[in-house]
Amino acid sequence: MQAVQYTDHGGREVVTYGDAPDPTVGRNEALVDVKAGALNHLDVWTRRGLPGIDLELPHVPGSDAAGVVREVGADVTRVEPGDRVAVSAGVSCGACEFCRRGEPTLCVDYRVLGEHTTGVHSELAAVPADALVSVPDGVDWETAAAAPLVFQTAWRMLVTRGEIRPADSVLVLGASGGVGHAAVQIADHVGCEVFATAGTDEKRATAERLGADRAIDYTDSEFDRRIRELTDRRGVDVVVDHVGEETWRQSLRSLAKGGRLLTCGATSGPNPETNVNRIFGNQLTVVGSTMATYGETEAALERVWDGTFTVETRATLPMSETARGHELLESREGFGKVVLVPDSEYDE
């Protein structure tokens, strides 16, 4: 088969596309004929090398994909050959205390496909059957591939962990990204007043089309000051910050007293300066979140499949141009997800 691979960590030049061994299907796995995949910032960090994660090289990356089940292992009953499926990339042990109490994302052995193990950006992928969700007929492969990771992550962060309510005001940073554009739609769906940041007129217009009440140009002024102006100096109830170092202090300053800062990532770096006095003085809550349970993933994706939520894509590329996809993410070029299609399936 053909697969995206890299033999070393580094810049975009390490990404290749070529021959790789066909995967062996384990007893609890399904072999998926991949019709499309999608990039996340996680793929950029994995390519560069994540501290504490020692990947076996060459590595096939990728956490998002969708396709048709070709074969199943001996113990698999959830899916069968011919099923249309998408990958929900989190895999837990199923036996630790957290798994037993229904919190698999806290599993002591939690793994993400493409980050900790072999990924799915290849013509064929052997995937744990428990990490597959059904894709209805009529949902195109690009949507099915691009939706799972970002919508499940945003859903858990906002609905479960953040407990957003219709009366809340919510600021979403980086609305043009995958998680950002999902978070805007989820907050709007719940009934919140939604503010969003984006760097161009086109991106801000798209954020407003997706549900933002006001879109702020973060390149023109400090967004926290703009939020204070728009809320009569009150601030917002919730800030969604998956940017990290560049925005953390402004995010805290954007919050009203008793507000919640929700984070699921740190694309600009993981070690921001924190004003602890502001946190305890204003009784703020910082809430971390990652991935989602199976039920949360289904709840989010049902609303993608029925058209309630829209998956925006900035580009659809053949997998042989994955390095270009990384460039789009790193340069913040475009709005939404980058979709990758195996070259054998790609049709310009």
Side-chain angles (χ1 to χ4, degrees):
M1 71 170 185
Q2 300 282 294
V4 179
Q5 301 173 81
Y6 47 80
T7 58
D8 200 1
H9 297 291
R12 294 188 293 272
E13 71 279 357
V14 304
V15 180
T16 64
Y17 185 69
D19 291 333
D22 286 358
T24 301
V25 183
R27 297 185 64 88
N28 295 300
E29 294 181 326
L31 184 66
V32 178
D33 185 356
V34 174
K35 301 300 182 182
L39 287 174
N40 298 282
H41 274 282
L42 175 60
D43 297 299
V44 173
W45 292 110
T46 304
R47 186 203 77 214
R48 293 175 182 173
L50 286 164
I53 298 179
D54 187 18
L55 289 172
E56 182 178 345
L57 299 173
H59 177 65
V60 176
S63 303
D64 268 332
V68 178
V69 174
R70 177 181 289 190
E71 177 186 339
V72 298
D75 295 338
V76 173
T77 58
R78 289 189 62 250
V79 296
E80 59 186 30
D83 285 354
R84 292 165 51 90
V85 295
V87 174
S88 177
V91 180
S92 62
C93 74
C96 70
E97 62 172 301
F98 301 106
C99 289
R100 290 197 305 271
R101 73 186 195 199
E103 284 288 358
T105 63
L106 297 174
C107 175
V108 297
D109 191 31
Y110 195 75
R111 291 162 290 139
V112 177
L113 302 179
E115 178 183 5
H116 304 97
T117 65
T118 300
V120 292
H121 288 170
S122 51
E123 290 182 314
L124 298 171
V127 180
D130 288 345
L132 296 173
V133 294
S134 178
V135 176
D137 292 338
V139 175
D140 64 83
W141 291 123
E142 290 79 5
T143 295
L149 192 144
V150 295
F151 276 91
Q152 70 171 300
T153 298
W155 184 273
R156 176 174 174 81
M157 177 172 51
L158 286 157
V159 176
T160 304
R161 300 282 291 143
E163 298 181 322
I164 59 171
R165 302 175 294 270
D168 284 337
S169 52
V170 177
L171 168 63
V172 178
L173 305 189
S176 65
V179 169
H181 93 293
V184 165
Q185 294 179 75
I186 292 168
D188 176 61
H189 178 68
V190 170
C192 303
E193 181 181 18
V194 184
F195 301 89
T197 68
T200 68
D201 290 342
E202 183 179 3
K203 290 179 180 180
R204 289 189 292 277
T206 304
E208 290 176 347
R209 173 171 60 79
L210 293 177
D213 297 286
R214 296 293 296 268
I216 299 167
D217 182 358
Y218 67 81
T219 68
D220 187 43
S221 62
E222 293 184 348
F223 65 80
D224 59 304
R225 293 185 178 180
R226 185 66 179 133
I227 284 294
R228 292 286 172 180
E229 292 173 1
L230 293 171
T231 61
D232 195 24
R233 300 176 60 185
R234 176 186 181 274
V236 294
D237 298 298
V238 176
V239 173
V240 175
D241 186 337
H242 50 92
V243 180
E245 287 183 13
E246 289 181 3
T247 55
W248 192 259
R249 290 177 67 87
Q250 288 175 261
S251 292
L252 291 174
R253 292 198 297 263
S254 298
L255 285 168
K257 289 181 181 295
R260 291 104 73 198
L261 195 160
L262 312 181
T263 179
C264 65
T267 56
S268 68
N271 297 303
E273 292 184 9
T274 296
N275 186 335
V276 176
N277 291 344
R278 179 175 291 274
I279 293 174
F280 69 72
N282 286 351
Q283 301 186 59
L284 306 179
T285 301
V286 176
V287 179
S289 186
T290 189
M291 304 298 285
T293 66
Y294 193 84
E296 290 162 342
T297 300
E298 284 197 316
L301 293 182
E302 282 174 6
R303 292 163 173 82
V304 176
W305 306 153
D306 70 13
T308 301
F309 300 148
T310 300
V311 182
E312 298 287 321
T313 58
R314 64 185 75 188
T316 298
L317 303 171
M319 284 189 177
S320 58
E321 296 182 19
T322 295
R324 168 59 180 155
H326 282 229
E327 182 182 16
L328 291 172
L329 293 184
E330 291 176 293
S331 66
R332 301 179 183 177
E333 183 180 338
F335 193 109
K337 296 290 294 271
V338 175
V339 173
L340 302 174
V341 178
D343 284 39
S344 57
E345 300 279 347
Y346 185 74
D347 183 4
E348 294 185 272

